[in-house]
């Protein structure tokens, strides 16, 4: 292939620049050369000032050697990890060059999409190669124009059946053919899917079967067949074509293959009068157009399939890759997955239910105000550990002391009256004075009792849960007002918040373990107790309260500590444990949508 002229270089430079921007690539290079033989030299690159490194050059060489798309990753360029994608430029099965793309490795990089993008843009370069051949004399100007016109109609149609019918009709009209048939290769047999100028035809008719046989004959031999010229070549089998051209009026027949990614997808049979055989330039034109038309029609056909058919096809392709001779990595991965699933199904493990846990005192004793008054002093705050009888706070008792003093004076006065009446032997006065003395003593005893109760004391050894009166000295309190809450240090229970989805699995007497946030390195055993039937809401989900008792008492716990508890239900296979939540969700989803 001769060096590209200025307009060709401008086209390739613009094409590579657009591809570089579309893929956000570091570098895009196009290497072109003589058909199959090479050498393949740099024809364009984007950006123009970028220099290909060893990694990209290695990808180009590997693509030329294998003649199929390759991906090379893990090489360093300017201190950055990069990968390269190489796609061969093929036309009629011949190699004309390579398109290589260098990209920086990143988390969202999809190499399959990169390969597809290059393939979608590749027909423009292939058409440009045809124009180059035209400029160099390999094709005539009429041939290039005809190729573009033949492709235009099929490319404009979005649906595969319409595109195929348009293609064969254009071939028939522009090449003065009597009939053009297009067939698709399926299960090692060709099936005629479109005839020129014919919307409906009998696929089981003898003529259509002979056309399909001619397609199979060309596909089996891997190349085009032209009759009657190829009938003189003893190395080419033309039995099916002989039957086709001699069925009725003798005809000239040309069969070319349609390919996609190096795989034959179908064939096209062109027929016209025997006195007008196909010339060499016409054969070259048809082959050139078929080289581009094949991938386009196959892509349209694949996109037109229904979703179930696409899913079945992908499943079949995956099965073929698994059972075929290649894809060792895929086979190893599937084997490991199967072994893991078998292990997960046959290995049993304890099935746990996870729930939020909170430590509470088994006993919660309140210390309330015994009378109306004012706070005089506060000796305890929440979190303090107190002993039985320790003073927590005192109330202002000055009024009580004054009242006691008053009644003491009254008692002394009545005592003197009693003694006077006793000296005078006045029985009535003695009785009255004695009664008044008893009343005064009762009042004093009552006031002393109330005075003693102004000292709020701890009822037992424990920890203060609530009641911060340190900032409330002098504040009024009313009788019965709760001032402190105290819990013992050696009697705790665990309160579990069990999700409603797991409530059916929880009952009394189940063992479990709890880890508290304050003591993450220590595990405490427990046993479930009462399950409440009233739901609450925590973090937007319904939960039920389950009480649990610690297996062993410890002095490390404090009321209010929180953590995570696991309740052991039974033993189940690992696979059943891992999919427990998913299966519950699936049951609810199916039940919701069932009629």
């Amino acid at each position: 292939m001769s060096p590209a002229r200025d307009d060709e270089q401008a086209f390739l430079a613009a094409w590579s620049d657009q591809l570089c921007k579309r893929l956000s690539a570091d570098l895009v290079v196009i290497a072109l050369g003589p058909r199959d033989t090479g050498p393949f030299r740099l024809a364009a690159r984007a950006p123009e000032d970028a220099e290909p490194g060893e990694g990209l050059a290695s990808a180009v060489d590997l693509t030329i050697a294998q003649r199929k798309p390759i991906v090379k990753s893990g090489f360093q360029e300017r201190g950055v990890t990069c990968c390269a994608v190489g796609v061969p430029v093929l036309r009629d099965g011949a190699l004309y060059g390579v398109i290589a793309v260098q990209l920086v490795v990143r988390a969202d990089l999809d190499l399959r999409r990169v390969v597809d993008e290059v393939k979608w843009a590749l027909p423009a370069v292939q058409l440009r190669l045809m124009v180059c051949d035209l400029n160099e004399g390999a094709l005539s100007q009429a041939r290039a124009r005809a190729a573009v016109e033949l492709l235009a109609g099929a490319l404009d149609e979005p649906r595969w059946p319409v595109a195929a019918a348009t293609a064969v009709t254009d071939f028939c009209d522009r090449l003065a053919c009597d009939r053009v048939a297009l067939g698709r290769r399926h299960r090692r047999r060709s099936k005629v899917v479109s005839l020129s100028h014919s919307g409906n035809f009998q696929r089981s008719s003898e003529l259509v079967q002979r056309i399909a046989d001619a397609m199979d004959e060309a596909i089996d031999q891997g190349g085009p067949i032209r009759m009657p010229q190829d009938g003189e070549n003893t190395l080419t089998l033309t039995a099916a074509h002989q039957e086709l051209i001699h069925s009725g009026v003798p005809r000239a027949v040309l069969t070319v293959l349609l390919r996609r990614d190096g795989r034959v997808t179908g064939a096209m049979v062109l027929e016209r009068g025997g006195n007008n055989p196909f010339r060499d330039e016409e054969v070259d034109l048809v082959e050139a157009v078929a080289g581009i038309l094949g991938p386009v029609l196959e892509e349209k056909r694949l996109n037109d399939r229904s979703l179930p058919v696409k899913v079945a096809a992908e499943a079949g392709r995956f099965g073929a890759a698994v059972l075929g001779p290649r894809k060792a990595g895929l086979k190893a991965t599937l084997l490991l997955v199967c072994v893991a699933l078998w292990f997960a199904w046959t290995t049993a493990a304890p099935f746990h239910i996870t729930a939020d846990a909170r430590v509470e005192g088994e006993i919660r004793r309140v210390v309330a105000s015994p009378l109306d008054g004012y706070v005089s002093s506060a000796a305890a705050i929440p979190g303090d550990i107190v002993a039985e009888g320790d003073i927590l706070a005192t109330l202002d008792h000055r009024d009580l002391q004054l009242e006691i003093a008053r009644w003491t004076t009254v008692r002394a006065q009545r005592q003197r009256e009693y003694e006077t009446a006793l000296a005078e032997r006045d029985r009535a006065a003695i009785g009255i004075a004695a009664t008044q003395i008893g009343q005064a003593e009762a009042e004093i005893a009552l006031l002393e009792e109330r005075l003693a109760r102004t000292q709020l004391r701890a009822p037992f050894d424990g920890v203060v849960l609530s009641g911060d009166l340190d900032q409330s000295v002098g504040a009024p309190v009313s009788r019965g007002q709760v001032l402190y809450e105290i819990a013992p240090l050696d009697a705790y229970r665990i309160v579990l918040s069990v999700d409603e989805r797991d409530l059916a699995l929880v009952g009394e007497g189940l063992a479990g373990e709890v880890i508290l946030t304050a003591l993450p390195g220590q595990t405490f055993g427990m046993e479930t107790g009462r399950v409440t039937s009233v739901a609450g809401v925590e973090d937007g989900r319904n939960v039920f309260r389950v009480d649990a008792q610690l297996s062993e008492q410890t002095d490390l716990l404090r009321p209010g500590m929180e953590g995570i508890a696991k309740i052991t239900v039974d033993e189940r296979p690992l696979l059943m444990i891992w999919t427990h939540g998913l299966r519950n969700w699936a049951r609810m989803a199916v039940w919701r949508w069932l009629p």
Side-chain angles (χ1 to χ4, degrees):
M1 182 176 180
S2 61
R5 296 182 303 185
D6 293 340
D7 57 339
E8 296 163 0
Q9 292 178 347
F11 167 80
L12 294 176
W15 185 91
S16 59
D17 184 64
Q18 288 295 325
L19 183 62
C20 183
K21 293 178 180 178
R22 183 177 182 86
L23 297 178
S24 299
D26 279 356
L27 181 60
V28 174
V29 300
I30 304 176
L32 301 176
R35 171 175 174 169
D36 284 335
T37 59
F40 300 98
R41 303 183 185 280
L42 183 64
R45 61 186 170 187
E48 294 183 355
D49 57 345
E51 289 293 335
E54 293 183 0
L56 190 63
S58 176
V60 171
D61 294 339
L62 190 60
T63 306
I64 293 174
Q66 298 187 8
R67 294 196 174 199
K68 64 179 183 180
I70 64 96
V71 175
K72 180 178 178 60
S73 59
F75 60 89
Q76 297 288 326
E77 287 289 345
R78 298 183 301 277
V80 179
T81 304
C82 299
C83 64
V85 174
V87 177
V89 180
L90 300 172
R91 184 160 62 87
D92 301 338
L95 180 67
Y96 283 80
V98 176
I99 298 172
V101 181
Q102 178 178 305
L103 306 102
V104 175
V105 176
R106 55 184 187 272
D108 59 343
L109 181 61
D110 187 355
L111 293 177
R112 184 182 296 275
R113 186 188 73 84
V114 174
V115 174
D116 291 340
E117 289 283 350
V118 176
K119 286 183 178 180
W120 272 107
L122 192 57
V125 176
Q126 293 171 329
L127 282 175
R128 195 65 189 181
L129 291 177
M130 294 177 59
V131 175
C132 292
D133 289 343
L134 168 63
N135 294 335
E136 295 297 331
L139 289 174
S140 66
Q141 182 178 4
R143 174 184 168 185
R145 184 184 303 111
V148 173
E149 291 174 352
L150 285 171
L151 287 170
L155 292 174
D156 287 342
E157 296 295 341
R159 301 296 302 277
W160 172 66
V162 180
T166 301
V168 295
T169 301
D170 287 347
F171 268 100
C172 184
D173 293 340
R174 296 184 181 277
L175 297 179
C177 297
D178 296 334
R179 179 172 56 234
V180 178
L182 188 144
R184 184 172 72 89
R185 186 74 166 177
H186 182 62
R187 295 180 180 177
R188 299 185 179 181
R189 291 287 298 171
S190 294
K191 176 182 177 182
V192 178
V193 296
S194 185
L195 286 177
S196 58
H197 301 292
S198 178
N200 297 315
F201 57 91
Q202 293 292 331
R203 290 183 171 84
S204 60
S205 65
E206 182 179 358
L207 176 61
V208 173
Q209 290 299 321
R210 287 182 179 177
I211 294 175
D213 292 339
M215 294 178 180
D216 288 334
E217 191 172 64
I219 293 173
D220 292 340
Q221 297 180 77
I225 296 179
R226 176 175 52 167
M227 296 296 291
Q229 288 89 331
D230 287 346
E232 301 172 358
N233 187 354
T234 57
L235 298 179
T236 303
L237 301 178
T238 60
H241 285 75
Q242 292 287 354
E243 291 186 8
L244 180 61
I245 64 175
H246 292 105
S247 58
V249 180
R251 293 179 174 276
V253 178
L254 173 62
T255 303
V256 295
L257 307 185
L258 302 176
R259 290 184 173 88
R260 180 177 184 265
D261 296 335
R263 179 177 58 88
V264 176
T265 59
M268 191 162 51
V269 176
L270 297 85
E271 303 175 61
R272 62 187 182 192
N275 58 351
N276 186 17
F278 290 95
R279 300 185 301 275
D280 291 341
E281 58 270 19
E282 292 177 324
V283 175
D284 292 340
L285 171 64
V286 175
E287 286 187 326
V289 177
I292 302 177
L293 188 64
V296 171
L297 291 180
E298 183 65 11
E299 192 68 28
K300 292 179 182 293
R301 185 189 70 82
L302 294 177
N303 289 334
D304 278 352
R305 296 177 300 175
S306 62
L307 181 60
V309 174
K310 290 181 180 179
V311 173
E314 290 298 325
R317 187 178 297 106
F318 179 77
V322 172
L323 301 177
R326 300 180 180 177
K327 305 285 186 181
L330 178 61
K331 292 181 175 63
T333 302
L334 288 177
L335 179 61
L336 290 176
V337 170
C338 292
V339 171
L341 290 176
W342 175 82
F343 177 79
W345 181 255
T346 57
T347 304
F351 174 48
H352 301 291
I353 290 176
T354 303
D356 294 334
R358 185 177 66 259
V359 178
E360 288 186 357
E362 189 171 353
I363 301 173
R364 293 172 67 94
R365 183 70 58 82
V366 298
V367 177
S369 174
L371 46 83
D372 296 335
Y374 298 89
V375 177
S376 176
S377 64
I381 61 175
D384 285 351
I385 297 176
V386 295
E388 182 179 357
D390 286 352
I391 296 177
L392 304 177
T394 58
L395 302 180
D396 190 355
H397 54 268
R398 289 176 295 180
D399 292 345
L400 293 176
Q401 289 177 335
L402 292 175
E403 192 69 14
I404 291 174
R406 186 177 71 83
W407 280 104
T408 301
T409 303
V410 171
R411 183 182 62 178
Q413 182 180 356
R414 298 295 180 263
Q415 182 67 29
R416 287 193 298 271
E417 292 177 357
Y418 175 77
E419 292 175 355
T420 302
L422 186 62
E424 295 176 356
R425 297 181 180 180
D426 187 351
R427 292 182 178 274
I430 292 173
I432 294 172
T435 301
Q436 291 176 339
I437 291 172
Q439 180 184 2
E441 290 178 347
E443 289 290 344
I444 292 172
L446 177 61
L447 291 172
E448 288 178 346
E449 175 65 21
R450 294 177 65 186
L451 179 62
R453 292 173 63 186
T454 59
Q455 293 183 336
L456 306 179
R457 299 179 179 272
F460 48 72
D461 296 345
V463 59
V464 178
L465 301 181
S466 65
D468 188 2
L469 300 182
D470 189 52
Q471 304 297 324
S472 301
V473 175
V477 293
S478 57
R479 183 177 182 180
Q481 179 179 342
V482 176
L483 302 181
Y484 289 98
E485 288 187 356
I486 300 177
L489 290 172
D490 56 352
Y492 296 101
R493 63 181 173 187
I494 307 297
V495 178
L496 309 178
S497 298
V498 179
D499 194 289
E500 63 178 346
R501 293 171 293 187
D502 300 323
L503 185 64
L505 302 174
V506 180
E508 295 187 13
L510 295 179
E513 295 179 332
V514 60
I515 293 181
L516 301 174
T517 305
L519 302 168
Q522 191 166 356
T523 302
F524 301 93
M526 65 178 190
E527 182 177 330
T528 58
R530 183 183 61 178
V531 180
T532 62
S533 57
V534 179
V537 179
E538 293 184 5
D539 298 332
R541 58 192 181 97
N542 286 347
V543 296
F544 286 81
R545 171 173 172 152
V546 177
D547 293 336
Q549 299 295 327
L550 290 172
S551 302
E552 298 180 0
Q553 297 297 332
T554 175
D555 57 357
L556 298 177
L557 302 185
R558 294 293 181 269
M561 288 184 175
E562 295 183 346
I564 302 297
K566 289 189 176 182
I567 305 171
T568 303
V569 178
D570 53 21
E571 284 196 352
R572 299 183 182 183
L574 289 174
L575 187 62
M576 301 295 290
I577 295 174
W578 294 337
T579 60
H580 170 68
L582 178 62
R583 288 185 287 109
N584 286 345
W585 174 85
R587 291 190 187 102
M588 295 301 297
V590 171
W591 175 256
R592 179 187 299 274
W593 293 106
L594 279 178

